[in-house]
Amino acid sequence: MDLSATGDILLSGILRGGLFVLIAMGLSLVFGVMNIPNFAHGEFYMLGAYFSYYAYAVFGLNPILAIMAAGAGGFVCGAIMERTAFRSLRVRQKTNWVMNSFLLTVGLSIVLQNSAQALVGTKFMGISQYWQGSVAIMGMNVSIDRLAGFGVAMATVLLFWIFLTKTKTGNSIRAVSEDESGAMLVGINLNRVYTLTFSIACMLAGIAGAALLSINPAYPTMGLAPLYKSWFIVILVGMGNVGGTIIGGFIVGMVEALSYYNLGAGWQDVISLLVIIIILLFKPSGLFGKDVKGVWER
Amino acid sequence: MMQTETNQNLLLSMKKKNILRELGFTPLGLGLLILVALVPLFIDNQYYLHLIVSSLMFGALAMGFDFTVGYINIVNFGYAAFMGVGGYVSALLATRLGISPWIGIFVAAAAAAVLGFLIGILTLRLRGMFAAIMAWFVGIVLMSLASNMVDLTRGQLGLNVPLLFTGSGKAPYIYTILAIVILTYIVLKRMISSKIGLAFNAIGQDLEAAETSGVNATKYKVLNFTVSCAFAGLIGGFYGHFVGILTPAVLHTRVTVEILALCYIGGRGSIWGGLLAAFLIIPIFEFLRPLMEIRLIIYGLLLVLVMIFYPGGLAQFLNQLAFYLKDLMPFKKQA
């Protein structure tokens, strides 16, 4: 492997990884705070792609505004979903919450996917690019679009991180993820935190879908691949570890770029999974996982 | 003389009933199965017969799925992949080595069981959700392999599979899959009503408590997983030889989700609920085909509503109904 190939792999791994981080973060957040293993997370990615398509290609908004619109759309849809489905389940069922909420998200995923298909049909809705042109980095041409997508992802992750660690609301989310009853004792409104958490997670997925629109056109079943990739990451770093997803996202991105370069398209899932399975054999709780035993019981 | 004869008859009929009970059949359930077996004698419409085969097939899959989710409380999210593995194994044996499908489907069951066993050993030491996700990942890998190993599986082009019976009639398929359904049901039900089933239930309800009282949880979980995967492989083998073509789409998560929905709408932890749900939902959806997406939205909503409001599903509903009907009976036994 010569130097330019290494650069090639490194760059494409980083660009891939950045967006994986953005998607996986929402998944990890929802699991960490609400203990929901979300199977419908990919559907919010899909919704984001559609929102940005309509905002950019149909209503002619500026790309940044289109991506923000997709984020806002994801936020609202997430809030509706949480208020209607998950709150009803939470009120009714206390035992076996992890498994039941997982199955609930499976149902939601079917509903969202097929609603999209019923409303807009099965044709690919893509755009050629948000921004024109390309730049040369380390001897290879990278379209500005991909760089901008990466930039959007990183900026969102940064903003979200600041929100989580520096603001009072962000701190209350973290408090709930650490100790639910403790958080309730100090006067945190759990229902409000849950709704906010779920909406933010959906917003992050929506932004990712919008940022990748020029590479992956909007399509009703487009959510599955990003869903299981973000699950790779979340399992790899340990479930519910939001900070760890940043590193995990780049690892998975890099593994994929490597396998893509060496074996061609189609094998990346096999390779990244083998890597993950091997890691988990030695460290079952994930790379940075703590003992999350308690969570599984609920 | 007369008296003793009637008594003996009574005794004999009671004994018969007990054998049926022991195999897990209620008179009503047995009657319905016989009804299904009689259908090909009266209906000649191949399309309807095809629907019946599909319902039985998905019903059997839902039963195997329920065996894991309803008892040890682990969602085998790669279930369709185990079925697909069975399908491919049997198909490849038939096309490459010329082995009869009748042997092939049992080899398929064994292959799926071995795979399930290995994955079970790897993942089932971990907590339920984790095992579910890992099974899902394995399913994704198997699907990737099926579409990438073009030399072996012909990938997306689809593998042509020799049919189980010559001729276009569907009736022999109905009897074959009916036999598989009955075998599945009896084996699963027998296991559940034995001591093993008690251990499964204990593990499913409270893992910690079960382990504390000396149940080797991992052993039973792996056993359960292996049996459930074996049936997926068996039915998958049948599927290939029934449809005549296999594509990697058989292993897709979508298929698992469909089986899962049948199992939950039917009622988890009942085994027969999934079969009943398959018989209600698959034909109804087939007739709603013009509505396409709408019917799948209804499907998803049904799953969501059952999850939130009625977790017992169809099985619980019918059990409660039977309970009330018994209560209304005029000649109730006095306690």
Side-chain angles (χ1 to χ4, degrees), chain B residues 36-37 40 46 49-54 56-57 101-102 105 161-181 237-244:
Chain B
V36 172
Q46 297 301 316
L49 297 184
H50 188 104
L51 266 184
I52 292 180
V53 178
S54 298
L56 283 168
M57 211 155 56
W102 293 105
I105 58 173
V161 188
L163 294 176
L164 214 47
F165 299 101
T166 48
S168 61
K170 301 269 191 266
Y173 292 102
I174 291 197
Y175 292 115
T176 315
I177 188 69
L178 197 61
I180 294 180
V181 165
F238 171 83
Y239 173 86
H241 295 295
F242 167 63
V243 176

Side-chain angles (χ1 to χ4, degrees), chain B residues 314-334:
Chain B
L314 211 52
Q316 191 193 338
F317 175 73
L318 289 179
N319 279 339
Q320 274 179 355
L321 194 69
F323 185 75
Y324 287 130
L325 286 181
K326 252 180 211 158
D327 233 30
L328 290 177
M329 288 287 214
F331 305 111
K332 211 168 48 172
K333 260 187 211 156
Q334 297 297 318

Side-chain angles (χ1 to χ4, degrees), chain A residues 173-231:
Chain A
I173 290 180
R174 279 169 55 216
V176 174
S177 94
E178 260 165 40
D179 186 348
E180 235 166 70
S181 34
M184 207 155 72
L185 282 179
V186 294
I188 292 172
N189 182 345
L190 282 185
N191 275 334
R192 204 175 132 254
V193 168
Y194 287 144
T195 308
L196 187 68
T197 307
F198 200 79
S199 313
I200 289 175
C202 296
M203 180 180 82
L204 296 180
I207 290 175
L212 279 172
L213 185 63
S214 61
I215 302 164
N216 297 326
Y219 187 75
T221 54
M222 72 189 294
L224 187 63
L227 172 72
Y228 65 68
K229 276 171 193 161
S230 29
W231 268 109

Side-chain angles (χ1 to χ4, degrees), chain A residues 12 56 183 198 253:
Chain A
S12 104
Y56 179 73
F198 200 79

Side-chain angles (χ1 to χ4, degrees), chain A residues 19-30 38-52 67 69-75 77-78 112 152-153 156-157 160 197-213 216 222-223 226-227 230:
Chain A
L19 285 147
F20 287 169
V21 172
L22 187 57
I23 310 170
M25 218 168 206
L27 191 67
S28 184
L29 183 75
V30 165
N38 192 354
F39 188 75
H41 198 61
E43 268 53 64
F44 292 98
Y45 171 88
M46 180 261 302
L47 286 178
Y50 275 114
F51 285 139
S52 65
I67 294 175
F75 190 91
C77 291
L112 287 174
V152 167
T156 313
V157 168
F160 172 62
T197 307
F198 200 79
S199 313
I200 289 175
C202 296
M203 180 180 82
L204 296 180
I207 290 175
L212 279 172
L213 185 63
N216 297 326
M222 72 189 294
L227 172 72
S230 29

Side-chain angles (χ1 to χ4, degrees), chain A residues 3 6 22-23 45 60 102 113 118 144-146 177 181 183-185 195 204 207 234 252 259 264 276 278 284-285:
Chain A
L3 197 68
T6 317
L22 187 57
I23 310 170
Y45 171 88
F102 174 68
Q113 238 175 53
I144 294 191
D145 224 38
R146 288 197 77 174
S177 94
S181 34
M184 207 155 72
L185 282 179
T195 308
L204 296 180
I207 290 175
V234 169
V252 172
S259 82
I276 290 168
I278 291 168
S285 53

